[in-house]
C-alpha cells in the first residue's frame, strides 16, 4: 500500500520531468525552496524557533541557488 505522499510525489515528479530541459534544474530547486518554506510555516508553533529558522534559512539558500541556476541557463 502506498503512503499518502507517494502518489502526489510521483505525479509531481512526472510534472517536473515534462519541464523544458533548460529550465528543469532551476525550477526543481525553486519548488524545493517553496516546499521547505511552507514546511517552516506549517511547523511553526509546534517546534522550537531554531528549527523554524533553520528551515527558513534553507529555503532562502535554495531560492538563491535557483536564481543562480536561472542566470546560467
Amino acid at each position: 500500500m502506498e503512503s499518502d505522499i507517494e502518489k502526489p510525489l510521483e505525479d509531481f515528479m512526472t510534472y517536473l520531468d515534462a519541464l523544458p530541459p533548460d529550465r528543469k534544474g532551476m525550477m526543481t530547486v525553486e519548488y524545493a525552496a517553496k516546499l521547505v518554506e511552507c514546511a517552516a510555516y506549517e511547523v511553526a508553533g509546534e517546534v522550537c524557533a531554531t528549527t523554524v529558522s533553520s528551515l527558513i534559512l534553507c529555503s532562502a539558500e535554495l531560492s538563491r541557488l535557483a536564481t543562480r541556476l536561472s542566470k546560467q541557463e
Side-chain angles (χ1 to χ4, degrees):
M1 182 174 171
E2 279 187 355
S3 73
D4 290 342
I5 195 170
E6 287 180 20
K7 178 62 174 141
L9 185 57
E10 182 181 312
D11 292 345
F12 185 64
M13 295 302 290
T14 299
Y15 164 77
L16 292 175
D17 284 342
L19 291 173
D22 63 328
R23 295 184 42 87
K24 190 183 297 188
M26 182 273 300
M27 293 296 295
T28 301
V29 174
E30 187 60 38
Y31 282 121
K34 293 190 181 305
L35 286 170
V36 172
E37 180 181 21
C38 180
Y41 288 103
E42 290 299 322
V43 300
E46 298 175 20
V47 299
C48 70
T50 302
T51 300
V52 175
S53 177
S54 293
L55 286 167
I56 292 169
L57 290 171
C58 180
S59 172
E61 179 61 21
L62 286 168
S63 188
R64 283 189 292 274
L65 287 169
T67 299
R68 285 201 312 245
L69 285 170
S70 71
K71 292 177 182 177
Q72 293 176 9
E73 296 176 350

